[in-house]
């Protein structure tokens, strides 16, 4: 291990994160009763400019009046370049009571964006005598944000997670797509011509770099990497594929932009029975190997070593969190 240690953010289940527009208060109770691990009430892009103030009032009432149970509760504020953001922070922290856990900051472009919000949040919290420190969820969804991702991830002790905002990111880098997440038919490879063989076209994952990069920046700073939205909520197979590839790259969860995506995300981001059993066998085998003074062993014809213990322990810890053990 490096002599530099990485402190993990507070552990929270973040398998599914339900987006709820602040302008649709009739959805709030449904969100509170859903199985989502995290709910974020949105003041940003799901709210039209004329609705910004009523949405803020709706959210303040919902923070005070709705029983959110043990959910992690977040509010997505407007961007730092808008005339709404300062009042989002001040009104929500001054009037919303103590229930709020996290604030989601969209379109973060530089570490100074996070610093500015930390300063404002700290002032209001201190003035209010707020006991619970609000954590930050940061959306990486621009070329600038991706270019500065390491500094952004390290910018505040309030930081808990990095989220990949695929639609704004696509717009920012001028990618050739108007979908919200998912693959693109132009992003693929054609296999070489070979005698007698039909050439195959393989679709690739055009978001691979962004998600892998985000996972690295998040983990290097003890934060949760979270995959953002998949807009086609009528395509559960597509959602499953997107969620599985994000999980394979290390993400802890994914947004749900419709309630139908919640159960899928909870299931896909919980380690399977099979994975847990395999991890436990690795731990048992390595315990035995270490008793015998060996750092490496074989299990089912494959090498396992001390790194395998860390992988297995990380999986078992996630499984325990998912089951509340
Ligand atoms: N939170 C809680 N409940 C929701 C919900 C949400 N985000 N979206 C839909 N529902 C409820 C509906 O009220 C409906 O409830 P009912 O069965 O009691 O009538 C049920 O789930 C099925 O909804 P449906 O009719 O299929 O969806 P819709 O047409 O009302 O809304 C969307 C579809 C996509 C507009 C809506 O899901 C939505 O606004 N999602 C969030 C979008 C968002 O926040 N985007 C910003 C981040 S990318
Ligand atoms: Mg966005």
């Amino acid at each position: 291990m490096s002599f530099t240690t990485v402190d993990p953010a507070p552990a929270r289940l973040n398998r599914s994160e339900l987006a709820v527009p602040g302008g649709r208060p009739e959805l709030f109770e449904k969100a509170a009763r859903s199985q989502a691990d995290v709910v974020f009430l949105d003041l940003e892009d799901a709210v039209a400019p004329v609705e910004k103030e009523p949405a803020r009032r709706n959210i303040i009432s919902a923070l005070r009046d709705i029983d959110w149970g043990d959910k992690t509760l977040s509010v997505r504020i407007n961007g730092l370049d808008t005339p709404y953001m300062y009042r989002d922070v001040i009104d929500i922290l001054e009037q919303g009571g103590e229930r709020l856990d996290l604030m989601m900051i969209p379109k973060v472009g530089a570490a100074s964006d996070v610093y500015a919000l930390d300063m404002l949040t700290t002032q209001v919290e201190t003035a209010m005598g707020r006991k619970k420190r609000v954590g930050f969820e940061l959306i990486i969804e621009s070329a600038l944000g991706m270019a500065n991702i390491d500094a952004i991830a390290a910018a505040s002790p309030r930081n808990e997670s990095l989220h990949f905002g695929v639609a704004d990111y696509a717009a920012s880098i001028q990618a050739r797509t108007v979908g919200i997440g998912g693959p693109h038919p132009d992003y693929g490879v054609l296999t070489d011509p070979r005698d007698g063989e039909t050439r195959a076209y393989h679709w690739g994952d055009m978001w691979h770099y962004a998600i892998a990069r985000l996972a690295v920046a998040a983990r290097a700073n003890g934060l949760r990497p979270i995959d953002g939205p998949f807009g086609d909520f009528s395509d559960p197979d597509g959602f499953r594929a997107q969620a599985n590839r994000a999980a394979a790259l290390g993400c802890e969860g994914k947004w749900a932009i419709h309630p139908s995506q919640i159960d899928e995300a909870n299931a896909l981001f919980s380690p399977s029975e099979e994975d847990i059993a395999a991890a436990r066998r690795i731990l048992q085998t390595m315990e035995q190997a270490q008793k015998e003074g060996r750092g490496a062993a074989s299990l089912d014809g494959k090498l396992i070593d001390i790194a395998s213990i860390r992988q297995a322990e990380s999986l078992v810890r996630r499984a325990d969190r998912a089951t509340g053990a």
Side-chain angles (χ1 to χ4, degrees):
M1 287 295 179
S2 167
F3 190 56
T4 300
T5 51
V6 176
D7 294 328
R12 298 178 193 275
L13 274 182
N14 205 160
R15 299 166 303 179
S16 54
E17 179 144 354
L18 179 65
V20 187
R24 292 190 64 188
E26 75 280 8
L27 300 184
F28 293 177
E29 283 282 356
K30 296 180 196 179
R33 289 195 305 269
S34 75
Q35 293 301 311
D37 290 336
V38 184
V39 169
F40 81 82
L41 305 175
D42 191 14
L43 284 168
E44 201 222 10
D45 280 356
V47 178
V50 292
E51 285 203 313
K52 295 287 186 192
E53 289 197 15
R56 202 186 283 136
R57 286 195 294 274
N58 295 338
I59 289 178
I60 289 167
S61 307
L63 291 174
R64 305 193 72 97
D65 301 339
I66 289 181
D67 177 3
W68 294 95
D70 59 1
K71 282 212 183 327
T72 292
L73 190 56
S74 182
V75 171
R76 179 163 77 170
I77 60 173
N78 286 284
L80 283 91
D81 60 333
T82 69
Y84 314 114
M85 189 223 79
Y86 78 102
R87 211 154 258 304
D88 291 344
V89 177
I90 293 169
D91 287 2
I92 280 166
L93 291 177
E94 282 189 352
Q95 300 168 35
E98 287 271 337
R99 181 58 184 80
L100 188 69
D101 299 298
L102 303 172
M103 209 150 56
M104 179 182 269
I105 308 171
K107 301 183 180 70
V108 178
S112 48
D113 289 347
V114 181
Y115 183 87
L117 269 157
D118 194 353
M119 181 274 290
L120 181 57
T121 305
T122 302
Q123 282 201 28
V124 186
E125 276 183 357
T126 309
M128 296 297 294
R130 203 173 195 275
K131 290 180 199 71
K132 187 161 81 182
R133 182 175 79 173
V134 164
F136 287 168
E137 311 184 276
L138 311 173
I139 316 181
I140 303 299
E141 49 185 343
S142 62
L144 186 64
M146 193 57 85
N148 291 322
I149 193 165
D150 295 317
I152 289 169
S156 165
R158 293 179 188 272
N159 291 355
E160 289 202 12
S161 51
L162 299 182
H163 299 242
F164 179 51
V166 64
D168 278 301
Y169 184 76
S172 172
I173 59 168
Q174 301 188 30
R176 194 192 294 172
T177 176
V178 289
I180 300 183
H184 190 283
D186 288 349
Y187 191 78
V189 289
L190 187 63
T191 54
D192 279 351
R194 286 197 213 172
D195 285 348
E197 281 181 22
T198 316
R199 298 176 73 183
Y201 183 73
H202 295 289
W203 289 40
D205 176 9
M206 68 186 284
W207 310 117
H208 173 87
Y209 165 78
I211 294 175
R213 182 73 187 84
L214 180 136
V216 170
R219 296 299 185 193
N221 289 279
L223 313 183
R224 296 183 290 279
I226 307 293
D227 191 23
F230 179 64
D232 188 352
F233 61 82
S234 312
D235 177 12
D237 291 337
F239 180 83
R240 236 171 265 135
Q242 294 295 298
N244 269 330
R245 70 79 159 92
L249 287 173
C251 287
E252 277 186 44
K254 183 163 174 64
W255 290 12
I257 52 92
H258 186 271
S260 61
Q261 296 178 331
I262 297 171
D263 288 347
E264 295 282 4
N266 285 347
L268 295 171
F269 286 95
S270 302
S272 66
E273 294 295 322
E274 222 177 315
D275 289 347
I276 300 165
R280 293 200 196 281
R281 280 185 70 218
I282 288 174
L283 293 176
Q284 281 158 9
T285 310
M286 282 306 296
E287 197 183 328
Q288 188 57 36
Q290 290 195 317
K291 271 188 200 145
E292 294 163 12
R294 287 181 292 125
S298 86
L299 180 64
D300 304 331
K302 291 181 193 137
L303 165 75
I304 56 170
D305 63 10
I306 291 167
S308 315
I309 300 181
R310 284 191 284 272
Q311 285 175 288
E313 281 175 344
S314 146
L315 195 137
V316 170
R317 262 198 310 276
R318 259 187 301 130
D320 286 347
R321 269 212 299 281
T323 56

